Amino acid sequence: MKLHHLAISLIAALLALSSCDKDEDIDRAYTDYRYDIVTFLEQNATGAVFEYLGHGDSAAVRLQSRVALSEEVKANQRVLLRYDFADNTASDHRNINVYSCSGIVSDSLRQTGASPDSLPMHEVKLRSLWRTGEYINLHCQVEYINTARTLMLVADGQTLSNDTVNCYLVHDLRGERGTFWRDCYASFNVGALWKKPTFKVMRIFLNDKTYPNTEYYDFTK
């Protein structure tokens, strides 16, 4: 399969909130909150509904808010949510107060038959790489450019039948020169690979300026 380019804007723009909780405590919004990458599920009569997954194979928690998101946000899109729980009841359904919702790179694992040496892998500054359910999540810094770039996770098609599948963080500035460093968040759905009976280890290679001596990171099924 040919490597498909994905045009994206990496620095997350604030998604429009068309309604907010009138009783929101402004001070609390700046002092008591969580930052999580979650999945937007739907908009119901009460507000936007999200799904939170903890590290590894933790059970899903449904988050019910009282805000309405912009129509640009689609079902199953991953977003960065700043929020707090509206009560202390521990269950798989929680009411939340949303303080901000930001768009991130939200994509699925792709595959390529191209040689890994030919893939564009411009450097990033890794902050964190972790798995929640069927998602590989990334927090890093990238060099700012004022045009779209390519950022995606691709699997080497030659290794898909192996127990260890090699994957690469493709990062292409498309000929632009980067300037200062800015935060970037991304989340990739790897469920199709994770469910393969022969699959055991996902090995992710990236060009990391922060830990240059670490060639790859393994995620074991």
Side-chain angles (χ1 to χ4, degrees):
M1 180 182 295
K2 291 183 179 180
L3 182 66
H4 295 287
H5 290 289
L6 178 65
I8 53 176
S9 177
L10 293 183
I11 305 306
L14 185 66
L15 302 178
L17 298 177
S18 61
S19 67
C20 297
D21 185 352
K22 295 181 180 179
D23 297 325
E24 177 181 306
D25 184 337
I26 296 177
D27 291 336
R28 183 178 178 82
Y30 285 96
T31 59
D32 299 292
Y33 59 83
R34 298 169 58 104
Y35 258 130
D36 288 315
I37 295 178
V38 300
T39 305
F40 170 65
L41 297 180
E42 63 176 349
Q43 190 84 31
N44 61 21
T46 302
V49 182
F50 306 90
E51 181 182 70
Y52 165 78
L53 294 169
H55 281 258
D57 297 308
S58 301
V61 178
R62 186 179 175 92
L63 306 176
Q64 175 68 65
S65 77
R66 297 175 60 186
V67 301
L69 296 188
S70 162
E71 293 182 358
E72 295 178 359
V73 189
K74 305 302 180 184
N76 297 319
Q77 183 174 335
R78 300 281 278 172
V79 296
L80 181 65
L81 195 67
R82 187 165 72 90
Y83 69 102
D84 190 19
F85 294 115
D87 53 58
N88 295 322
T89 303
S91 71
D92 57 0
H93 287 71
R94 302 290 301 271
N95 293 318
I96 61 171
N97 299 315
V98 172
Y99 304 131
S100 70
C101 181
S102 303
I104 66 173
V105 179
S106 179
D107 195 23
S108 296
L109 178 68
R110 298 161 182 258
Q111 73 175 70
T112 179
S115 167
D117 293 336
S118 68
L119 299 176
M121 295 177 62
H122 192 77
E123 64 186 5
V124 301
K125 289 184 177 180
L126 182 64
R127 291 293 180 262
S128 184
L129 186 68
W130 72 103
R131 180 178 71 85
T132 54
E134 296 182 354
Y135 296 95
I136 295 293
N137 308 292
L138 170 70
H139 176 203
C140 66
Q141 288 189 323
V142 297
E143 291 173 282
Y144 174 79
I145 58 175
N146 59 7
T147 59
R149 71 183 76 205
T150 297
L151 183 73
M152 54 189 175
L153 188 64
V154 300
D156 179 0
Q158 300 299 316
T159 66
L160 283 177
S161 297
N162 301 343
D163 58 1
T164 298
V165 177
N166 293 338
C167 300
Y168 299 85
L169 183 68
V170 170
H171 183 206
D172 189 359
L173 300 188
R174 302 185 181 183
E176 295 294 321
R177 182 183 296 274
T179 53
F180 57 92
W181 294 87
R182 296 188 64 176
D183 278 341
C184 171
Y185 291 86
S187 186
F188 306 98
N189 189 314
V190 299
L193 173 62
W194 206 261
K195 295 172 184 175
K196 286 175 63 72
T198 57
F199 168 79
K200 292 183 179 179
V201 178
M202 173 179 251
R203 179 161 292 171
I204 299 180
F205 295 81
L206 64 160
N207 182 7
D208 179 27
K209 188 177 178 66
T210 305
Y211 306 104
N213 294 326
T214 302
E215 185 179 4
Y216 58 81
Y217 295 86
D218 283 347
F219 291 88
T220 304
K221 186 175 178 180

